Amino acid sequence: MTDSDAGVRFQVQPEFHAVPLGLGVDEDAFAEQMRQFALDYWGGREELEDLRGLTRAMYSAQAETLVAGGAVYNALGIFPIGGTADGSEPPERISRASLTVSVRDLDNPDPRLTAAGIAESLDKGPAGGEVQLISLPAGPAVVHLAGSRAVWELEDGGEHEQYFVRIEVWLPFPGEDRVLLLCLSTPDVQDLYRYQAILADIADTVAFGESDAESDAAPAPATTVPSPLASY
């Protein structure tokens, strides 16, 4: 069970690996956290130092943006597809997704009215996609599913395009003017149904308020990320 100072708890699958956000630590401690993250991700081979440096810079800049938007948790999910549980057959491929949990201020006179207002705003918003009101153990919520397309210009004058799918769960705090946003994004659009189920399982674990007892909390997910080069 992952706790945050924002007064919310949730549990993620072990395939998610927390990316440092720098919350509650000074600049030097954050730099060390990010150095260790990049080392865990790429491994310690000397020829990969440039990639480790790029990873540190990229995720550090991303963390600053995420925290400014209210993020309290960020993680990279690495999911093997196919293969066998005992490892006798390797996975056919690796699917990846990012998970961000954030808290945003929002006038919240009543969770049900707030959820209905969020659903209407998303339905009429520019992002498009599908919107549905749902009920979670923690209260009324909204699911928003949308796709997006990113295009990069290449040095040879061509373009590279990538499609992403984004699944959001908006969950108003009970009795507070805040809303919790769970956002899962992946370029592996063929795995949409898998990730819908994964995010649904996480949303079902959300609990507001302080933990009553440490024994109620499950172990936090591991922070070591398997090297992506291990599959090659």
Side-chain angles (χ1 to χ4, degrees), residues 102-201:
S102 58
V103 175
R104 301 185 179 183
D105 293 332
L106 184 69
D107 187 25
N108 178 21
D110 175 84
R112 291 193 178 280
L113 291 176
T114 301
I118 292 172
E120 183 176 1
S121 296
L122 291 172
D123 190 46
K124 295 180 179 179
E130 300 179 8
V131 179
Q132 182 178 355
L133 281 164
I134 62 171
S135 180
L136 295 174
V142 180
V143 174
H144 180 215
L145 172 64
S148 61
R149 172 176 172 266
V151 178
W152 291 272
E153 294 185 0
L154 304 179
E155 292 182 356
D156 61 4
E159 293 183 341
H160 172 74
E161 66 176 8
Q162 178 70 64
Y163 289 90
F164 295 85
V165 64
R166 176 184 175 100
I167 314 167
E168 300 173 343
V169 175
W170 296 74
L171 179 58
F173 276 66
E176 295 185 44
D177 288 335
R178 297 191 295 170
V179 62
L180 181 71
L181 173 58
L182 311 175
C183 179
L184 190 152
S185 176
T186 179
D188 295 316
V189 296
Q190 70 271 33
D191 297 321
L192 170 60
Y193 293 126
R194 175 185 296 270
Y195 285 121
Q196 282 180 303
I198 286 171
L199 188 59
D201 287 343

Side-chain angles (χ1 to χ4, degrees), residues 1-228:
M1 186 73 74
T2 299
D3 294 83
S4 81
D5 292 336
V8 61
R9 309 187 308 281
F10 52 91
Q11 188 170 343
V12 302
Q13 293 83 354
E15 289 85 0
F16 283 106
H17 308 277
V19 180
L21 284 174
L23 298 172
V25 299
D26 60 25
E27 185 175 338
D28 291 339
F30 177 52
E32 174 57 26
Q33 289 177 353
M34 198 58 74
R35 186 198 68 79
Q36 187 61 51
F37 174 80
L39 179 63
D40 291 338
Y41 190 91
W42 290 108
R45 287 162 50 187
E46 184 177 351
E47 64 269 27
L48 299 180
E49 177 55 30
D50 287 346
L51 287 174
R52 290 192 291 270
L54 178 62
T55 298
R56 291 194 298 270
M58 180 178 67
Y59 278 103
S60 294
Q62 183 186 61
E64 184 176 349
T65 301
L66 290 174
V67 171
V72 296
Y73 179 80
N74 185 35
L76 174 66
I78 302 177
F79 294 83
I81 307 297
T84 56
D86 61 6
S88 58
E89 293 290 337
E92 300 170 4
R93 59 186 177 87
I94 300 295
S95 183
R96 290 176 172 81
S98 61
L99 173 67
T100 304
V101 180
S102 58
V103 175
R104 301 185 179 183
D105 293 332
L106 184 69
D107 187 25
N108 178 21
D110 175 84
R112 291 193 178 280
L113 291 176
T114 301
I118 292 172
E120 183 176 1
S121 296
L122 291 172
D123 190 46
K124 295 180 179 179
E130 300 179 8
V131 179
Q132 182 178 355
L133 281 164
I134 62 171
S135 180
L136 295 174
V142 180
V143 174
H144 180 215
L145 172 64
S148 61
R149 172 176 172 266
V151 178
W152 291 272
E153 294 185 0
L154 304 179
E155 292 182 356
D156 61 4
E159 293 183 341
H160 172 74
E161 66 176 8
Q162 178 70 64
Y163 289 90
F164 295 85
V165 64
R166 176 184 175 100
I167 314 167
E168 300 173 343
V169 175
W170 296 74
L171 179 58
F173 276 66
E176 295 185 44
D177 288 335
R178 297 191 295 170
V179 62
L180 181 71
L181 173 58
L182 311 175
C183 179
L184 190 152
S185 176
T186 179
D188 295 316
V189 296
Q190 70 271 33
D191 297 321
L192 170 60
Y193 293 126
R194 175 185 296 270
Y195 285 121
Q196 282 180 303
I198 286 171
L199 188 59
D201 287 343
I202 296 172
D204 280 341
T205 70
V206 171
F208 294 107
E210 301 299 327
S211 178
D212 293 332
E214 293 185 6
S215 59
D216 293 336
T223 57
T224 300
V225 179
S227 169

